[in-house]
Amino acid sequence: MKNINEINIKSFRGIRNLRLTDLAQVNIIAGNNNCGKTSVLEIIESLRQPDDILMWSSLSRRTTTSMRNRMSFYEGIYDLFDINIEDKRLEYTFKTEDDIVTLWADAVESVEEITEKRYEAISGLSYIEKENREELEDQTREIARIEFKVALNGKAILKEKIYEGQMNASVYPRPLRRQKSLTQNIVYISPTRHASGEVFLGEVLNRPDLYEEMLSILKEFDENILSINYDKNNFGRGTYKILSKSNNKALPLNVYGDGMKKAILLMSAVVKANDGILLLDEFETAIHTSAMERTFKWILETCKKLNVQVFMTSHSIEAISKVLKCCPDMEKDIRMITLVETLNGIKARNVDATKAIKLKEQYGLELR
Amino acid sequence: MKTMIFCEGTTDLLMIQYVLQYKYGWHYNGFLENAETNRLRKKTLKRDTDIVDIESCGGIMNIPKRMQELQEQIQNTTREEELVNKVIILIDHDTVSSNREFLDKINEKIGTYFLEEDINVLRKWAVDNDFLESTELDIYIKCLPESEVGAIESIMLQALDTDSIESKIIQDSRQFIETEAENQDRYLQKKSLVSKAIVNTYFAIRMPEEKYDERARILKAYNWEENEVLNDSFAFLNI
């Protein structure tokens, strides 16, 4: 996959007419809260499978375990559009050396009359009592809906109706054939994903050279670490365990601290994103300052080796400084993008690593 | 409000610092020196929420380059609190044509059109910036002495000339240095260097054990705050 060198965002959530040019192998995105950092990552992630409604559902920030408090699928999709504008349209374009990809999505609002039975199915809630079922399930109600349409380079690839109160996105059929966009290998790592213990070690264990390098870096966290192994139990389930001279037996990854889990997640995500795109949201979360330099250095060098384009957001000036300086040979491959809210919308200050270091150290300017 | 003051050398920097502190009530807030040469580069003063950085550029011809860097800094500023609101440049009056040459260099570096009539007058300098509403700075290019050829040391000598003893030492120092300058063509070929040599000769007599950069202390021996010569010449520092 050729690197994305430009993103033109006409409209997405609160971002209007933002142009990100001269993008590089590694792109650090910073800025005040609510300036659109995560939105930029979501835009890139939408390239993964834009013809799949479940992909759009995953962008809609509905992550909470409580069903009671969770935003509906309808609200999540609705909020992808600029709430200040009546005309609901998303539009953005990606450019690589060889390709231009334009994605747009419309949401046309209307009202539909549907049966209670249908509403129960799409809302994901069972609320019609058993004794009244026959009587009530054919009754109808008027419900707001949006007709959500997506087009890739002008060609319609998705068209679905989404109803107000709809919690359930799995009622839609999955696309039979994957729509070709720039790449499907896009790996997104949220700030807290490491807490679940999820990693992509399967990819790493197939690469002995990278596995060995990773172990060497993990010694910053546990100097006695010997190996990481996949342990399958009698019930067909498996778990990754770490063998270390610090303990009498191998321990599951889950019992280790957040820093170790985050480092393993980040490093394994690089390998998983081979020849694709890696999106790291608040990449420095949970990693101790003493381990940052070696971990980031490995990530950047391996991204270059595996042709992975990285977009990473951060609030931490310490982490940003470490990334800018950890690989002097790669200074031209790193861009520092600061999103700034201005009277005319969100704008980007975009400089290479050398200039970013100069702005910070010589001029005393804030990079975040 | 943030002000940058660019001057040619350490003497100018110390003089400006002294006037700001003891005449205009600014407080010293730190310095920056070159890690390799230990040359004093910058001093920072504060007054309430205002900040002034006084930077010694190591020669008049380094000032245009610093202005170009300041321009780059302002072009990349994204926050109001980082903005520089005013820039003051203090230069000596080396020769009759030195101001013109200096302005040509500044204009070349930062794309402006300053003329000689813009010296010693408050002007505006607009700098492109995509992020902030207004990036137009006040700019004041101060040449000392204003009308005659000389250096900031000329002003200092006028100010030091407070009684007959000081007057004689200054006069004798001047005579010695000017005679040396006239009788050879290797040293002291600029008027400003002659002025500096006269001041250094005066100080060599006045305080022979003191180091060059401790000279500011002697200024405290007099009520410089009430000195008419200094007050007139440095009124532009009433920021």
Side-chain angles (χ1 to χ4, degrees):
Chain A
M1 188 206 97
K2 288 269 165 77
N3 283 348
I4 297 170
N5 52 38
E6 186 174 321
I7 304 175
N8 246 308
I9 306 166
K10 212 166 165 186
S11 178
F12 182 87
R13 292 192 194 276
I15 301 177
R16 291 189 76 74
N17 300 319
L18 173 64
R19 220 170 138 227
L20 303 176
T21 58
D22 297 319
L23 298 173
Q25 185 93 42
V26 178
N27 304 278
I28 307 169
I29 305 171
N32 285 341
N33 289 336
N34 296 323
C35 68
K37 301 186 292 296
T38 301
S39 295
V40 172
L41 299 189
E42 286 171 345
I43 284 166
I44 300 168
E45 198 186 356
S46 72
L47 276 174
R48 184 164 39 85
Q49 202 161 350
D51 56 346
D52 186 354
I53 194 74
L54 286 185
M55 189 286 298
W56 292 98
S57 171
S58 73
L59 295 188
S60 59
R61 302 191 191 177
R62 300 166 65 228
T63 49
T64 164
T65 50
S66 163
M67 193 65 176
R68 185 186 213 129
N69 296 325
R70 188 184 298 178
M71 194 164 52
S72 70
F73 179 48
Y74 175 92
E75 286 165 315
I77 295 291
Y78 196 85
D79 289 343
L80 292 174
F81 300 88
D82 190 338
I83 56 166
N84 296 316
I85 294 174
E86 254 187 61
D87 205 15
K88 304 290 175 207
R89 184 166 175 113
L90 312 175
E91 189 172 342
Y92 38 91
T93 302
F94 302 88
K95 286 186 190 172
T96 67
E97 211 176 273
D98 301 331
D99 249 317
I100 297 177
V101 170
T102 299
L103 207 67
W104 62 253
D106 273 347
V108 177
E109 296 172 270
S110 61
V111 172
E112 186 178 321
E113 205 173 308
I114 60 171
T115 62
E116 292 292 344
K117 183 180 174 183
R118 171 125 175 84
Y119 185 68
E120 193 181 47
I122 60 177
S123 70
L125 300 167
S126 179
Y127 63 88
I128 304 175
E129 288 167 8
K130 226 176 173 175
E131 49 266 32
N132 297 328
R133 186 160 286 278
E134 243 183 72
E135 186 190 328
L136 292 175
E137 63 185 16
D138 287 333
Q139 281 185 10
T140 60
R141 62 157 81 192
E142 271 194 355
I143 192 101
R145 72 150 204 237
I146 48 179
E147 192 164 296
F148 183 63
K149 285 187 272 188
V150 179
L152 185 71
N153 286 342
K155 180 183 160 202
I157 56 171
L158 175 66
K159 185 177 170 181
E160 293 292 357
K161 293 175 192 169
I162 305 164
Y163 296 88
E164 190 174 9
Q166 182 174 347
M167 300 296 279
N168 194 355
S170 56
V171 294
Y172 303 104
R174 303 302 304 279
L176 291 172
R177 276 174 21 190
R178 287 195 155 189
Q179 187 65 40
K180 187 176 178 297
S181 72
L182 281 177
T183 178
Q184 258 114 36
N185 193 10
I186 301 177
V187 178
Y188 170 75
I189 306 294
S190 74
T192 54
R193 192 164 172 185
H194 62 281
S196 67
E198 184 183 357
V199 289
F200 306 105
L201 280 170
E203 316 282 337
V204 182
L205 294 177
N206 288 331
R207 299 281 308 251
D209 53 333
L210 298 177
Y211 171 72
E212 191 181 10
E213 287 172 9
M214 189 171 85
L215 274 189
S216 155
I217 289 165
L218 290 177
K219 286 187 191 301
E220 300 277 337
F221 300 87
D222 176 2
E223 59 184 3
N224 294 318
I225 191 170
L226 291 170
S227 65
I228 305 174
N229 305 291
Y230 188 67
D231 185 21
K232 213 167 174 181
N233 62 25
N234 293 333
F235 306 101
R237 291 174 60 192
T239 184
Y240 286 104
K241 288 188 175 177
I242 294 179
L243 186 63
S244 167
K245 287 190 278 189
S246 305
N247 303 305
N248 292 336
K249 59 177 186 176
L251 292 179
L253 175 60
N254 265 350
V255 308
Y256 278 84
D258 277 358
M260 177 96 142
K261 287 191 285 194
K262 181 74 180 249
I264 294 175
L265 174 60
L266 289 182
M267 290 191 282
S268 61
V270 171
V271 183
K272 174 139 177 79
N274 185 24
D275 205 36
I277 299 174
L278 180 60
L279 307 172
L280 304 178
D281 207 349
E282 292 183 31
F283 65 90
E284 76 283 359
T285 313
I287 298 189
H288 191 269
T289 183
S290 60
M292 274 185 188
E293 189 163 337
R294 274 201 78 193
T295 310
F296 296 158
K297 186 174 190 316
W298 185 91
I299 289 172
L300 262 55
E301 287 173 345
T302 310
C303 281
K304 191 156 186 181
K305 204 187 295 185
L306 301 183
N307 191 32
V308 175
Q309 188 174 21
V310 186
F311 294 84
M312 51 209 315
T313 71
S314 181
H315 281 295
S316 162
I317 191 61
E318 186 181 17
I320 290 171
S321 295
K322 295 250 190 245
V323 173
L324 289 173
K325 292 181 177 179
C326 66
C327 297
D329 291 344
M330 280 184 70
E331 276 189 2
K332 292 296 170 201
D333 295 316
I334 302 172
R335 299 297 293 193
M336 178 70 231
I337 300 165
T338 309
L339 299 182
V340 184
E341 207 156 344
T342 74
L343 292 173
N344 299 318
I346 295 170
K347 301 236 171 147
R349 180 183 64 193
N350 183 348
V351 296
D352 67 22
T354 310
K355 187 146 178 198
I357 293 166
K358 184 182 183 184
L359 292 184
K360 178 177 177 288
E361 295 185 355
Q362 190 173 332
Y363 300 152
L365 296 181
E366 177 61 73
L367 293 181
R368 295 170 296 175
Chain B
M1 195 175 83
K2 185 166 179 183
T3 304
M4 299 281 314
I5 303 178
F6 294 126
C7 57
E8 294 187 42
T10 315
T11 308
D12 306 327
L13 188 160
L14 292 173
M15 194 72 222
I16 295 167
Q17 177 193 0
Y18 179 79
V19 173
L20 283 171
Q21 276 187 248
Y22 296 102
K23 177 69 183 173
Y24 294 113
W26 289 77
H27 302 286
Y28 178 61
N29 196 49
F31 72 98
L32 180 72
E33 64 177 30
N34 184 301
E36 286 171 17
T37 65
N38 293 122
R39 187 179 81 79
L40 180 65
R41 273 194 52 198
K42 183 168 84 169
K43 285 199 175 185
T44 300
L45 305 181
K46 277 185 107 163
R47 188 179 64 185
D48 301 323
T49 55
D50 296 336
I51 295 175
V52 62
D53 279 342
I54 316 163
E55 205 170 309
S56 154
C57 299
I60 188 171
M61 279 310 164
N62 289 330
I63 295 177
K65 183 172 179 288
R66 273 304 285 125
M67 285 293 290
Q68 191 179 39
E69 289 170 348
L70 178 63
Q71 185 182 48
E72 184 180 48
Q73 178 182 330
I74 295 166
Q75 283 167 341
N76 284 281
T77 299
T78 59
R79 295 173 181 223
E80 289 287 348
E81 60 269 25
E82 292 175 336
L83 208 51
V84 173
N85 308 101
K86 186 170 187 173
V87 59
I88 297 173
I89 300 172
L90 177 60
I91 54 173
D92 291 337
H93 201 157
D94 276 344
T95 64
V96 171
S97 63
S98 60
N99 285 349
R100 176 73 259 149
E101 287 160 16
F102 174 71
L103 289 176
D104 286 345
K105 201 74 188 164
I106 288 263
N107 291 335
E108 183 196 325
K109 284 286 188 188
I110 64 174
T112 46
Y113 299 95
F114 293 122
L115 303 171
E116 281 190 81
E117 47 261 46
D118 295 316
I119 291 182
N120 299 329
V121 177
L122 187 65
R123 288 284 185 243
K124 293 286 183 188
W125 175 33
V127 179
D128 288 336
N129 179 296
D130 288 335
F131 314 105
L132 300 174
E133 211 177 326
S134 170
T135 43
E136 191 179 60
L137 294 77
D138 287 334
I139 180 167
Y140 190 84
I141 304 173
K142 178 70 180 178
C143 178
L144 279 179
E146 283 195 23
S147 47
E148 61 199 29
V149 170
I152 194 170
E153 285 82 2
S154 317
I155 306 295
M156 281 177 69
L157 286 174
Q158 280 181 54
L160 288 162
D161 195 349
T162 52
D163 61 28
S164 58
I165 293 174
E166 302 300 330
S167 199
K168 178 127 190 351
I169 297 172
I170 291 167
Q171 192 49 48
D172 289 348
S173 303
R174 180 175 280 121
Q175 194 170 351
F176 167 64
I177 294 299
E178 284 175 355
T179 305
E180 289 300 317
E182 276 162 26
N183 291 328
Q184 49 79 42
D185 57 10
R186 182 179 295 177
Y187 303 113
L188 305 176
Q189 294 307 295
K190 281 187 183 176
K191 187 84 181 179
S192 59
L193 295 176
V194 169
S195 301
K196 288 180 201 304
I198 295 169
V199 167
N200 288 340
T201 306
Y202 166 82
F203 275 107
I205 297 163
R206 173 70 180 78
M207 38 187 262
E209 299 93 4
E210 296 285 359
K211 285 192 293 189
Y212 175 81
D213 57 4
E214 289 168 359
R215 207 166 280 165
R217 272 199 256 148
I218 197 175
L219 298 175
K220 295 183 204 173
Y222 300 91
N223 276 340
W224 295 113
E225 300 88 332
E226 309 306 322
N227 184 288
E228 209 177 297
V229 171
L230 285 187
N231 285 342
D232 281 345
S233 301
F234 291 95
F236 68 95
L237 291 176
N238 188 6
I239 304 165

